[in-house]
Structure formats: C-alpha cells, structure tokens
Amino acid sequence: DIQMTQSPSSLSASVGDRVTITCRASQSISRYLNWYQQKPGKAPKLLIYATSSLQSGVPSRFSGSGSGTEFTLTISNLQGEDFATYYCQQTYTTGEFTFGPGTEVAIK
Amino acid sequence: EMQLVESGGGLVQPGGSLRLSCVGSGLTFTNYWMHWVRQVPGKGLVWVSRINSDGSDILYGDSVKGRFTISRDNAKNTVYLQMNSLRAEDSAIYFCTRAVYGRVSEFEYWGQGTLVTVSP
C-alpha cells in the first residue's frame, strides 16, 4: 500500500503569509495527488486535483506542484478563512485512495 | 442548494449492522462516481468504498472488505452503505461524496456526515 506523509503536522502563520505544505508518497504516484481543506465540524473541500489543477471556485492563492513522490500545496497571501486542516490524497492506486495525516494551519 | 444528506448512523453493538443512506438534492448522481469516506472525530480521513455510475464497478478499502456493501439507486438519487459485522474500529463519521464530473476519485461534493458508534 502507498503511504502518505505530510509535513509539517501543524504550523502557525499570520494573515498575509505564504505557507507551504509538503506531501510525500512512499512510492511514485505520478501526478495523482489531490488537496483538501477541512474546517472544524465541516466536511472537507476539494482545493486542487491532479497535483496542480485548481477546483472551480477555489481562490487562485492556492496552488499545487510536484510529481512522483513529493508534492507541495502553497497558499500565498494567507487569509483568515484559510485557517484549517489540509489533507493530501493519492489516487494512483485503484482501490485505496489514501489520505495524508493532515496539516493544521493555525493563527500565529 | 446542491447538497448530499446522509442518514442511518447511530449506536450499534459490535457484530451488528447499519445501513447508511445518502440522498442528493439539487444535484444529480447519474453519471458520477460516488464514494464513502470516514473520519474518526479529530483524526484523519479514510476512504471506504466507491461505486461507478451504473453500479458495475465497485471497490472497498481493505479494512471493510467483505463486511460492507455499497449500492446505488439512481432513480432515487441515493447511494447506500450496508455495514455488517461492525467493529469498534468502524466508529467514525461517515461522509458520502460525489466525484468531479468525468473523474473518479476527486471528491467535489460532500455530505455533512453521519456518526456511527459501535459500542456494547
């Protein structure tokens, strides 16, 4: 099974900051990588799919990059509504669409 | 408003069964992949199962294989998750999700979740 890790597990940032979250896969997943945002008590929200494609309606301050085993989610100009937990998800293997453990972005 | 609404969760004893339902309102299921994802409160997301538009392609996560059954009724805009032989580790919030059109495993719409608690 493909294992996903994320770093850091949590971070503190201020409004206006640029934030980068890294997701690593235990083996190559090409570009089959999605990112979700989840706020407390809410369902996750799809931000980016296929590594770098922005889901409709998602602000352009969110961007994704990477390939193979290492991927990044970048939030430029962090806004108040961006404080949440972010999960990566691999969709390379048919049958186990593994999520990463999450990165909590908190207010500094 | 487009939304998915899950129901059927609750408290059940180990070894028991539950049937979860997910109804779409304001959005259609036809031609979309549907999935169930679960999450222990305060913990991470775990994919559970998926079903294609006509029910001919179904997969399960290893942790539920042989115990859970996913199905759908497109006429009722509903997807189901029959959960048998429930274990304490199945306790979680269960979300139903609809994939992005034309894609399999990019989860665009999510329900609010239904809580399943497996306990004596």
Side-chain angles (χ1 to χ4, degrees):
Chain A
D1 291 357
I2 297 177
Q3 307 301 318
M4 306 299 293
T5 60
Q6 288 182 232
S7 60
S9 57
S10 65
L11 63 91
S12 296
S14 302
V15 171
D17 284 353
R18 180 184 180 91
V19 168
T20 298
I21 299 168
T22 299
C23 175
R24 291 184 175 87
S26 59
Q27 66 185 72
S28 176
I29 57 171
S30 185
R31 292 174 59 86
Y32 291 89
L33 193 284
N34 305 326
W35 289 97
Y36 296 85
Q37 174 195 68
Q38 187 179 31
K39 297 181 179 179
K42 300 294 186 181
K45 172 186 175 182
L46 177 64
L47 298 176
I48 289 171
Y49 63 92
T51 297
S52 57
S53 295
L54 199 65
Q55 173 63 8
S56 175
V58 174
S60 59
R61 61 181 180 273
F62 291 92
S63 64
S65 64
S67 67
T69 61
E70 188 161 323
F71 303 83
T72 59
L73 172 70
T74 299
I75 312 171
S76 60
N77 189 19
L78 192 71
Q79 298 298 297
E81 60 266 32
D82 301 336
F83 294 98
T85 298
Y86 293 83
Y87 294 94
C88 61
Q89 175 209 17
Q90 68 84 14
T91 61
Y92 180 79
T93 50
T94 301
E96 283 289 352
F97 303 122
T98 325
F99 290 88
T103 295
E104 181 182 6
V105 177
I107 301 173
K108 183 182 286 184
Chain B
E1 180 186 5
M2 295 183 287
Q3 59 179 350
L4 299 172
V5 179
E6 301 97 337
S7 61
L11 175 64
V12 62
Q13 292 189 340
S17 298
L18 279 177
R19 188 197 197 200
L20 306 183
S21 299
C22 170
V23 180
S25 65
L27 57 81
T28 181
F29 280 13
T30 307
N31 299 321
Y32 291 87
W33 288 83
M34 298 295 296
H35 299 249
W36 287 93
V37 175
R38 69 185 183 185
Q39 183 176 39
V40 174
K43 302 297 184 182
L45 300 162
V46 177
W47 174 81
V48 174
S49 181
R50 74 166 199 198
I51 185 169
N52 71 335
S53 58
D54 66 4
S56 63
D57 188 343
I58 288 173
L59 281 173
Y60 300 97
D62 287 344
S63 60
V64 307
K65 207 171 294 184
R67 300 185 299 121
F68 289 13
T69 302
I70 191 172
S71 61
R72 67 191 295 162
D73 184 339
N74 288 335
K76 295 182 177 179
N77 232 26
T78 303
V79 64
Y80 305 97
L81 187 68
Q82 177 67 42
M83 305 187 296
N84 298 333
S85 303
L86 282 162
R87 306 166 180 166
E89 54 265 35
D90 295 319
S91 296
I93 300 168
Y94 283 75
F95 295 100
C96 118
T97 76
R98 194 195 81 173
V100 172
Y101 180 72
R103 303 190 71 87
V104 175
S105 47
E106 287 69 29
F107 308 146
E108 179 180 16
Y109 285 100
W110 297 66
Q112 83 289 350
T114 186
L115 179 64
V116 171
T117 303
V118 184
S119 180

